[in-house]
Amino acid sequence: MSIKLLPDIVINRLKAGEVVERPSSVIKELVENSLDAQATKISIDIHDGGKSLIIIQDNGTGIDMSDSKLVLHRYATSKIDSDEDLDTLGSYGFRGEALASIAEVSTLSLESITAGHQLGFRIEKNHNSTSIDHISLPFDHGTKIIIKNLFENTPVRRKFLKSSQTEYFYCYQLCLDFALVRYDIHWVISKNGKIVHDLPPTDDIQSRIVQIFKKDRAQQLRPINFDQSNLTINGIISDSTLTFGSNEYCKIYVNGRPIQDRAIQKAIMDGYHRQIHHGEYPLAIIAIDIAPHLVDVNVHPRKIQVKFVDPGIVFTNVRDIIVQSLGENKTFHGEHKPVIMRSATSILGVKNEASHTHIQSSLFTTETQQEQQGAQVFIKEDYIESTPQFYNTTEYKIVGQIRDSYIIVQHVDGLRYIDQHALAERIAFEKLKKNISDGNYSSTTLLNPISIQLPAHQDSQIISDQLNTLKFETTVRGDHSLIIYKVPQFLVDYTIDIEKIVRHLISENGELSDTHDANLGITNILDSIFATRACKTSIKANHRLSLLEMQQLVNDGFEFIPGGFVCQHGRPFVIDIDKKQIDTMFDR
Ligand SMILES: Nc1ncnc2c1ncn2[C@@H]1O[C@H](COP(=O)(O)OP(=O)(O)OP(=O)(O)O)[C@@H](O)[C@H]1O
Ligand SMILES: [Mg+2]
């Protein structure tokens, strides 16, 4: 077949496929346009998960009548003039292709008017025709866009859409992404014409969270602030008492833009450093502001990824600021959280029902609860009521060992029972992980490179890149063959099956949906492997320890364990009885 240029109609369809993946991508583009137009109020109404109807109205500057003919043209934008503007971008949009793409795959109506004008205009566009009328509008400045029947002319794409409920969930999450970071804007979010959230502007992100969650969670939230000339990181994170069953409240923004970034997601989880259980996620709203010349936002058709000039600096600082904030144990109002010891009832054999359960409840306490499908969250309230630290050498005294398995320690606040095997296991695990996260390991060349055929739906390059950041050396051959030449030495030392670990990674990623795929992957696999390896090298139960050995173990605990006393199997390994509880038990 000879080579020929594709007709515009085909090009438009192809481009539209890149920009508009699902209803939430439409909302994203329209909301970004409203924000670029300096709107202070944005209303979004999502019908049938956005599949049949999306209505977005803003009170921004509106579009000048003279631009009405260009507004749906591909590569027509008011936001940049030259390619140099890309290096100093201050707007969400810059490609001039979003509206053209949306119009390509839906029926679109756009009404707009600029301040001081009697008449605005209305554009109606479907697949066969476009009309522009000059009309008076019921608002004096701003834009209203109605998108009907998304993908009606691309049935294959429409088939890929999920149920209305799931699509609504994606749309809802997207709205929250913006509402959280742009707390200065009045947002009205509706589902099928019924208001779900009416969020007037607030002064800060904490107040926005209270608005959304209908509950003051300030006690469980910590501010994070990092300020350097070219990089600032602001936001809030929850402590280990407020966690969720998915990473839906881990939100990352770069220069105000919500993005997905596996590395930063991992940095967040690393910041919690086992203070929360496997499978739990914190609330973490991380707004990264970075000088425009240090980040490229023009790397993804839907602008949901960015490329940092130095990703390592961003990663390290996000992780460290979280560690620091959790360590300071300060709430929003600046006071230190009281340390509440675990209740004595659990020690005396009365099972505290709340303690080990991962309570399913909802953050939302409004009548619209049922409306927020997908917004059901898991909260752990009662488990680790605090994050007590290990005491340093001067603050404790070893009392002894019971059944050659548990160490009893007396300290200023009372007594502590420690499961020696679990503690040793956790210390070994933390040391190993520290070496890995510090990059304290070398790679080794495999005598026989391993070739793995990846499933067609996986992005081989992403997998290869991920492995290479972990000191593997891999390349992609053909479309889907991954060739592994070098692997980290510790995998060989621990006789870990390389193919298995890579396959495991692939299957984990394969199971994850596109919005929840950020952070599992390699870390989880390494976690589970190292957890079992660490076990094998640890001090066991039923093993008598000398005073010196017990001291060494507790000192190592102080040095290596930042808090969150659960072992990698999810069992607690430290139980405290505070002195008041001891007095109470003796009726004093
Ligand atoms: N809500 C709005 N209010 C005011 N002007 C708007 C609005 N929506 C779109 N426009 C105008 O229409 C133009 C085209 O919008 P479109 O979203 O297609 O492109 P863009 O925002 O410039 O770039 P990108 O494709 O990266 O989003 C914008 O540059 C802007 O001038
Ligand atoms: Mg735009």
Side-chain angles (χ1 to χ4, degrees):
M1 225 156 71
S2 59
I3 300 177
K4 50 192 157 319
L5 288 174
L6 289 171
D8 274 358
I9 187 163
V10 180
I11 294 176
N12 284 347
R13 183 72 66 82
L14 292 174
K15 293 299 290 178
E18 285 177 4
V19 176
V20 188
E21 189 199 16
R22 55 182 357 117
S24 61
S25 8
V26 171
I27 295 179
K28 174 178 181 293
E29 294 300 337
L30 299 184
V31 160
E32 289 187 348
N33 282 346
S34 300
L35 291 169
D36 281 343
Q38 315 303 327
T40 56
K41 180 174 181 184
I42 302 175
S43 308
I44 306 157
D45 192 0
I46 306 152
H47 290 250
D48 187 25
K51 292 196 269 188
S52 62
L53 179 63
I54 296 169
I55 307 170
I56 298 200
Q57 176 153 15
D58 69 52
N59 64 352
T61 53
I63 301 167
D64 210 81
M65 186 94 80
S66 58
D67 286 339
S68 59
K69 287 214 170 73
L70 271 182
V71 73
L72 296 186
H73 255 261
R74 191 168 295 285
Y75 308 127
T77 181
S78 57
K79 298 174 191 173
I80 58 169
D81 289 322
S82 65
D83 69 337
E84 284 109 62
D85 292 346
L86 281 175
D87 300 330
T88 52
L89 212 55
S91 56
Y92 287 99
F94 52 86
R95 295 195 187 126
E97 64 179 7
L99 285 181
S101 297
I102 295 166
E104 189 61 38
V105 290
S106 66
T107 297
L108 175 146
S109 149
L110 181 154
E111 296 174 348
S112 196
I113 185 165
T114 48
H117 289 87
Q118 295 286 314
L119 287 185
F121 65 90
R122 178 191 292 143
I123 304 180
E124 305 262 15
K125 181 174 186 306
N126 63 27
H127 318 296
N128 309 317
S129 64
T130 307
S131 64
I132 304 181
D133 294 310
H134 295 181
I135 52 167
S136 62
L137 288 168
F139 42 97
D140 51 15
H141 59 97
T143 303
K144 179 176 179 180
I145 300 188
I146 301 177
I147 306 297
K148 282 189 192 149
N149 302 331
L150 191 62
F151 300 136
E152 63 187 340
N153 58 340
T154 51
V156 176
R157 183 54 80 92
R158 198 171 168 90
K159 253 194 224 142
F160 276 105
L161 293 184
K162 304 212 168 117
S163 66
S164 299
Q165 184 167 322
T166 306
E167 292 300 339
Y168 170 73
F169 175 67
Y170 290 136
C171 295
Y172 176 77
Q173 283 299 320
L174 193 273
C175 294
L176 282 196
D177 283 353
F178 280 102
L180 280 164
V181 77
R182 295 302 304 266
Y183 50 79
D184 54 325
I185 305 282
H186 185 168
W187 298 89
V188 182
I189 304 165
S190 304
K191 183 183 180 192
N192 298 330
K194 200 167 154 208
I195 294 179
V196 173
H197 284 301
D198 185 347
L199 310 169
T202 63
D203 291 334
D204 51 37
I205 201 163
Q206 299 93 287
S207 318
R208 179 47 53 91
I209 285 180
V210 173
Q211 267 183 340
I212 292 174
F213 293 169
K214 305 280 190 291
K215 193 167 172 189
D216 190 352
R217 298 228 164 242
Q219 279 292 324
Q220 292 168 296
L221 300 175
R222 315 281 173 79
I224 55 165
N225 306 104
F226 171 85
D227 210 339
Q228 260 186 8
S229 62
N230 279 327
L231 175 69
T232 63
I233 304 170
N234 290 300
I236 57 162
I237 55 169
S238 62
D239 65 17
S240 60
T241 66
L242 179 61
T243 61
F244 303 86
S246 77
N247 67 353
E248 69 197 73
Y249 292 102
C250 291
K251 310 228 180 245
I252 304 162
Y253 304 88
V254 172
N255 296 349
R257 204 181 279 286
I259 60 147
Q260 293 167 12
D261 188 302
R262 282 163 193 266
I264 299 176
Q265 181 72 45
K266 178 170 178 326
I268 295 172
M269 299 311 284
D270 281 4
Y272 281 82
H273 201 58
R274 302 201 75 76
Q275 287 202 21
I276 55 182
H277 290 274
H278 178 80
E280 289 181 0
Y281 300 85
L283 176 149
I285 299 179
I286 312 284
I288 299 165
D289 283 292
I290 185 161
H293 66 279
L294 297 178
V295 62
D296 188 354
V297 294
N298 190 19
V299 294
H300 189 279
R302 280 176 282 123
K303 307 185 195 104
I304 54 174
Q305 283 165 11
V306 298
K307 235 184 171 66
F308 296 104
V309 171
D310 189 344
I313 293 215
V314 179
F315 180 97
T316 314
N317 283 309
V318 167
R319 183 194 56 202
D320 293 354
I321 193 73
I322 290 177
V323 171
Q324 187 188 327
S325 168
L326 291 170
E328 277 172 359
N329 215 23
K330 266 193 196 147
T331 64
F332 259 112
H333 307 308
E335 77 268 26
H336 284 270
K337 278 192 74 176
V339 173
I340 308 157
M341 298 292 186
R342 285 196 66 188
S343 83
T345 49
S346 54
I347 298 160
L348 298 174
V350 184
K351 195 161 176 281
N352 177 356
E353 282 306 328
S355 66
H356 280 263
T357 43
H358 192 52
I359 304 165
Q360 183 179 2
S361 64
S362 172
L363 276 176
F364 303 91
T365 49
T366 58
E367 282 162 13
T368 55
Q369 203 168 30
Q370 293 307 315
E371 295 295 310
Q372 293 162 359
Q373 286 103 337
Q376 283 284 315
V377 291
F378 296 90
I379 307 172
K380 176 187 60 175
E381 295 271 17
D382 287 328
Y383 187 34
I384 306 168
E385 298 98 317
S386 61
T387 48
Q389 303 292 310
F390 262 96
Y391 293 85
N392 77 23
T393 2
T394 57
E395 293 171 324
Y396 76 87
K397 196 172 106 198
I398 303 274
V399 176
Q401 194 186 16
I402 9 176
R403 288 175 35 212
D404 292 344
S405 300
Y406 305 100
I407 302 168
I408 308 177
V409 169
Q410 180 195 316
H411 54 70
V412 277
D413 301 312
L415 282 180
R416 171 167 287 182
Y417 291 66
I418 302 172
D419 178 332
Q420 65 190 40
H421 168 61
L423 171 60
E425 179 183 271
R426 174 74 188 275
I427 291 167
F429 177 72
E430 295 297 338
K431 283 183 178 170
L432 199 53
K433 271 194 72 177
K434 188 168 181 316
N435 279 341
I436 292 165
S437 72
D438 290 351
N440 262 342
Y441 61 91
S442 53
S443 308
T444 182
T445 306
L446 295 172
L447 280 179
N448 300 313
I450 299 173
S451 164
I452 297 181
Q453 189 63 29
L454 301 177
H457 68 276
Q458 294 285 340
D459 187 331
S460 323
Q461 196 53 51
I462 290 183
I463 291 169
S464 169
D465 291 349
Q466 277 185 331
L467 290 169
N468 293 350
T469 59
L470 286 168
K471 299 198 184 176
F472 283 78
E473 195 179 296
T474 65
T475 56
V476 177
R477 196 176 286 162
D479 258 1
H480 299 296
S481 264
L482 185 76
I483 317 291
I484 306 172
Y485 302 99
K486 267 186 168 186
V487 297
Q489 178 70 44
F490 59 80
L491 292 180
V492 176
D493 294 345
Y494 284 96
T495 55
I496 289 165
D497 182 334
I498 311 288
E499 177 162 355
K500 204 164 155 195
I501 190 173
V502 174
R503 291 231 171 265
H504 199 128
L505 163 69
I506 296 164
S507 73
E508 284 234 8
N509 275 352
E511 277 166 21
L512 297 166
S513 74
D514 42 5
T515 55
H516 290 109
D517 69 347
N519 60 2
L520 294 172
I522 288 175
T523 327
N524 277 351
I525 297 158
L526 294 184
D527 269 11
S528 58
I529 286 170
F530 294 136
T532 52
R533 301 289 146 164
C535 270
K536 296 202 171 108
T537 60
S538 304
I539 289 168
K540 298 275 182 275
N542 299 314
H543 177 80
R544 180 151 310 160
L545 298 176
S546 69
L547 190 61
L548 220 63
E549 284 172 317
M550 287 192 268
Q551 259 163 359
Q552 184 60 48
L553 201 57
V554 178
N555 287 349
D556 279 356
F558 176 73
E559 190 178 340
F560 290 102
I561 302 180
F565 296 149
V566 277
C567 74
Q568 45 265 56
H569 310 300
R571 289 191 295 270
F573 61 86
V574 165
I575 287 173
D576 285 312
I577 313 185
D578 75 35
K579 22 181 212 241
K580 276 211 206 86
Q581 288 169 329
I582 300 174
D583 288 344
T584 314
M585 283 189 273
F586 288 102
D587 279 345
R588 284 185 175 272

